[in-house]
Amino acid sequence: MIPLSWCLVLGAVLFAIGFMGVVLRRNGLSMLLAVEIMVNAANLNLVAFATTWGLVEGQTLVLFIIGVEAAELAAALAVVTAWRRLTGENELDAAHSLGEEHE
Amino acid sequence: MIAAVFTLLALAAIGSSLMTVLSRRIFYGALYLLVSMLATAGIFVLLGAEFLAAVQVLVYAGSVMVLFVFVLMTVGFREESRERRGPGWWATLLGLGGLILGQLIAALRSLDGGGECAGVLPTSPGEVPRAMADILFGERLVALEVVSLLILAVMVGIAALRREERR
């Protein structure tokens, strides 16, 4: 049997890795990949708690998270590629104005 | 036995997640992320959440990664330049990662005991998915419909974005 703390430590390590990726990578798509890692760590924690305490609601919540996260990724991919095509820039550091252009 | 499999899967998940963050080419990063997702699905199976493992493989490893790789191939991002990663970069990486990790572990230590996480749920086949369906289509039906509305809104938003871009 697996102690709960192992799962939680694994989730913490994965979250830290994803956080480092979001902070240190400058490419929009790399940052999205790192966000995926963080969401995955959160899901892992939810499943661990849900199975420890025998609650099915926790697993249902993970289903919702997966659905919302897929929608978020689709929207973010559209924004990143549109921005890339408009400006020709590779890295999100160069993004100053995502709103309307002001003359 | 289960502990050994868990350790193996956990090491695979941690290693491939590290490679996702560190690899210079985004395509390799996406492939490593796929390995990480599959390892997490394996851990879900060990924890007794077989249905979620199936959803993880179908949605993440299936649709999300296919979408990602498709965008990567059509848009084609450059790889990260080499001179970016000086000692300062590595110091920030280790410092920030250690800080966050230390904070999380310190928070975990306040949670005493914990308990065993595998094998507490009823394990007769099909029982957990049935209970989840009862919740999804029973008391959480409104939330489910809100999620489907969200997905519809994202589709419309992407179409509007492309239209704006073409003008």
PDB file of all heavy atoms in Angstrom, chain B residues 104-120:
ATOM      1  N   LEU B 104       6.191  23.717  -0.062  1.00  0.00           N
ATOM      2  CA  LEU B 104       5.135  22.715  -0.166  1.00  0.00           C
ATOM      3  C   LEU B 104       5.356  21.581   0.818  1.00  0.00           C
ATOM      4  O   LEU B 104       4.429  21.119   1.495  1.00  0.00           O
ATOM      5  CB  LEU B 104       5.065  22.168  -1.594  1.00  0.00           C
ATOM      6  CG  LEU B 104       4.472  23.124  -2.620  1.00  0.00           C
ATOM      7  CD1 LEU B 104       4.573  22.548  -4.004  1.00  0.00           C
ATOM      8  CD2 LEU B 104       3.024  23.393  -2.284  1.00  0.00           C
ATOM      9  N   ILE B 105       6.633  21.134   0.933  1.00  0.00           N
ATOM     10  CA  ILE B 105       6.915  20.019   1.838  1.00  0.00           C
ATOM     11  C   ILE B 105       6.673  20.450   3.290  1.00  0.00           C
ATOM     12  O   ILE B 105       6.142  19.688   4.108  1.00  0.00           O
ATOM     13  CB  ILE B 105       8.366  19.526   1.647  1.00  0.00           C
ATOM     14  CG1 ILE B 105       8.575  19.117   0.202  1.00  0.00           C
ATOM     15  CG2 ILE B 105       8.696  18.404   2.595  1.00  0.00           C
ATOM     16  CD1 ILE B 105       8.568  17.691  -0.107  1.00  0.00           C
ATOM     17  N   ALA B 106       7.068  21.709   3.602  1.00  0.00           N
ATOM     18  CA  ALA B 106       6.821  22.206   4.955  1.00  0.00           C
ATOM     19  C   ALA B 106       5.328  22.239   5.257  1.00  0.00           C
ATOM     20  O   ALA B 106       4.899  21.915   6.368  1.00  0.00           O
ATOM     21  CB  ALA B 106       7.423  23.603   5.111  1.00  0.00           C
ATOM     22  N   ALA B 107       4.528  22.601   4.224  1.00  0.00           N
ATOM     23  CA  ALA B 107       3.082  22.594   4.432  1.00  0.00           C
ATOM     24  C   ALA B 107       2.574  21.175   4.631  1.00  0.00           C
ATOM     25  O   ALA B 107       1.678  20.926   5.429  1.00  0.00           O
ATOM     26  CB  ALA B 107       2.380  23.254   3.247  1.00  0.00           C
ATOM     27  N   LEU B 108       3.196  20.229   3.913  1.00  0.00           N
ATOM     28  CA  LEU B 108       2.754  18.835   4.027  1.00  0.00           C
ATOM     29  C   LEU B 108       3.041  18.266   5.407  1.00  0.00           C
ATOM     30  O   LEU B 108       2.314  17.429   5.913  1.00  0.00           O
ATOM     31  CB  LEU B 108       3.477  17.965   2.996  1.00  0.00           C
ATOM     32  CG  LEU B 108       3.037  18.125   1.556  1.00  0.00           C
ATOM     33  CD1 LEU B 108       3.796  17.157   0.693  1.00  0.00           C
ATOM     34  CD2 LEU B 108       1.571  17.888   1.433  1.00  0.00           C
ATOM     35  N   ARG B 109       4.140  18.739   6.022  1.00  0.00           N
ATOM     36  CA  ARG B 109       4.520  18.168   7.312  1.00  0.00           C
ATOM     37  C   ARG B 109       3.505  18.496   8.400  1.00  0.00           C
ATOM     38  O   ARG B 109       3.423  17.809   9.419  1.00  0.00           O
ATOM     39  CB  ARG B 109       5.897  18.670   7.735  1.00  0.00           C
ATOM     40  CG  ARG B 109       7.020  18.050   6.954  1.00  0.00           C
ATOM     41  CD  ARG B 109       8.328  18.679   7.355  1.00  0.00           C
ATOM     42  NE  ARG B 109       8.637  18.413   8.752  1.00  0.00           N
ATOM     43  CZ  ARG B 109       9.346  17.366   9.166  1.00  0.00           C
ATOM     44  NH1 ARG B 109       9.805  16.528   8.280  1.00  0.00           N
ATOM     45  NH2 ARG B 109       9.601  17.187  10.430  1.00  0.00           N
ATOM     46  N   SER B 110       2.754  19.583   8.166  1.00  0.00           N
ATOM     47  CA  SER B 110       1.754  19.930   9.174  1.00  0.00           C
ATOM     48  C   SER B 110       0.563  18.977   9.127  1.00  0.00           C
ATOM     49  O   SER B 110      -0.238  18.921  10.047  1.00  0.00           O
ATOM     50  CB  SER B 110       1.280  21.369   8.958  1.00  0.00           C
ATOM     51  OG  SER B 110       0.607  21.448   7.736  1.00  0.00           O
ATOM     52  N   LEU B 111       0.472  18.217   8.036  1.00  0.00           N
ATOM     53  CA  LEU B 111      -0.631  17.270   7.888  1.00  0.00           C
ATOM     54  C   LEU B 111      -0.181  15.952   8.516  1.00  0.00           C
ATOM     55  O   LEU B 111       0.592  15.222   7.923  1.00  0.00           O
ATOM     56  CB  LEU B 111      -0.908  17.096   6.397  1.00  0.00           C
ATOM     57  CG  LEU B 111      -2.027  16.201   5.951  1.00  0.00           C
ATOM     58  CD1 LEU B 111      -3.185  17.079   5.541  1.00  0.00           C
ATOM     59  CD2 LEU B 111      -1.593  15.401   4.751  1.00  0.00           C
ATOM     60  N   ASP B 112      -0.611  15.674   9.731  1.00  0.00           N
ATOM     61  CA  ASP B 112       0.005  14.539  10.410  1.00  0.00           C
ATOM     62  C   ASP B 112      -0.587  13.212   9.948  1.00  0.00           C
ATOM     63  O   ASP B 112      -1.771  13.115   9.620  1.00  0.00           O
ATOM     64  CB  ASP B 112      -0.106  14.688  11.928  1.00  0.00           C
ATOM     65  CG  ASP B 112      -1.532  14.809  12.402  1.00  0.00           C
ATOM     66  OD1 ASP B 112      -2.445  14.772  11.563  1.00  0.00           O
ATOM     67  OD2 ASP B 112      -1.730  14.962  13.598  1.00  0.00           O
ATOM     68  N   GLY B 113       0.277  12.218   9.927  1.00  0.00           N
ATOM     69  CA  GLY B 113      -0.191  10.885   9.594  1.00  0.00           C
ATOM     70  C   GLY B 113      -0.547  10.722   8.141  1.00  0.00           C
ATOM     71  O   GLY B 113       0.264  10.300   7.337  1.00  0.00           O
ATOM     72  N   GLY B 114      -1.765  11.059   7.778  1.00  0.00           N
ATOM     73  CA  GLY B 114      -2.182  10.901   6.392  1.00  0.00           C
ATOM     74  C   GLY B 114      -2.917   9.604   6.225  1.00  0.00           C
ATOM     75  O   GLY B 114      -4.120   9.568   6.238  1.00  0.00           O
ATOM     76  N   GLY B 115      -2.189   8.529   6.109  1.00  0.00           N
ATOM     77  CA  GLY B 115      -2.841   7.239   5.927  1.00  0.00           C
ATOM     78  C   GLY B 115      -2.431   6.618   4.614  1.00  0.00           C
ATOM     79  O   GLY B 115      -1.535   7.099   3.940  1.00  0.00           O
ATOM     80  N   GLU B 116      -3.087   5.530   4.296  1.00  0.00           N
ATOM     81  CA  GLU B 116      -2.764   4.818   3.065  1.00  0.00           C
ATOM     82  C   GLU B 116      -3.716   5.264   1.988  1.00  0.00           C
ATOM     83  O   GLU B 116      -4.914   5.391   2.226  1.00  0.00           O
ATOM     84  CB  GLU B 116      -2.937   3.316   3.285  1.00  0.00           C
ATOM     85  CG  GLU B 116      -2.229   2.794   4.497  1.00  0.00           C
ATOM     86  CD  GLU B 116      -0.747   2.676   4.260  1.00  0.00           C
ATOM     87  OE1 GLU B 116      -0.379   2.278   3.138  1.00  0.00           O
ATOM     88  OE2 GLU B 116       0.026   2.998   5.164  1.00  0.00           O
ATOM     89  N   CYS B 117      -3.173   5.504   0.780  1.00  0.00           N
ATOM     90  CA  CYS B 117      -4.138   5.980  -0.196  1.00  0.00           C
ATOM     91  C   CYS B 117      -4.647   4.913  -1.134  1.00  0.00           C
ATOM     92  O   CYS B 117      -5.706   5.084  -1.708  1.00  0.00           O
ATOM     93  CB  CYS B 117      -3.673   7.203  -0.948  1.00  0.00           C
ATOM     94  SG  CYS B 117      -2.123   7.167  -1.699  1.00  0.00           S
ATOM     95  N   ALA B 118      -3.958   3.816  -1.326  1.00  0.00           N
ATOM     96  CA  ALA B 118      -4.477   2.845  -2.285  1.00  0.00           C
ATOM     97  C   ALA B 118      -5.397   1.865  -1.578  1.00  0.00           C
ATOM     98  O   ALA B 118      -5.174   1.485  -0.434  1.00  0.00           O
ATOM     99  CB  ALA B 118      -3.328   2.112  -2.955  1.00  0.00           C
ATOM    100  N   GLY B 119      -6.420   1.455  -2.268  1.00  0.00           N
ATOM    101  CA  GLY B 119      -7.241   0.351  -1.792  1.00  0.00           C
ATOM    102  C   GLY B 119      -8.217   0.675  -0.693  1.00  0.00           C
ATOM    103  O   GLY B 119      -8.627  -0.213   0.023  1.00  0.00           O
ATOM    104  N   VAL B 120      -8.592   1.946  -0.518  1.00  0.00           N
ATOM    105  CA  VAL B 120      -9.592   2.274   0.479  1.00  0.00           C
ATOM    106  C   VAL B 120     -10.981   2.301  -0.152  1.00  0.00           C
ATOM    107  O   VAL B 120     -11.961   1.869   0.442  1.00  0.00           O
ATOM    108  CB  VAL B 120      -9.267   3.630   1.137  1.00  0.00           C
ATOM    109  CG1 VAL B 120     -10.331   4.006   2.128  1.00  0.00           C
ATOM    110  CG2 VAL B 120      -7.923   3.538   1.826  1.00  0.00           C
TER     111      VAL B 120
END
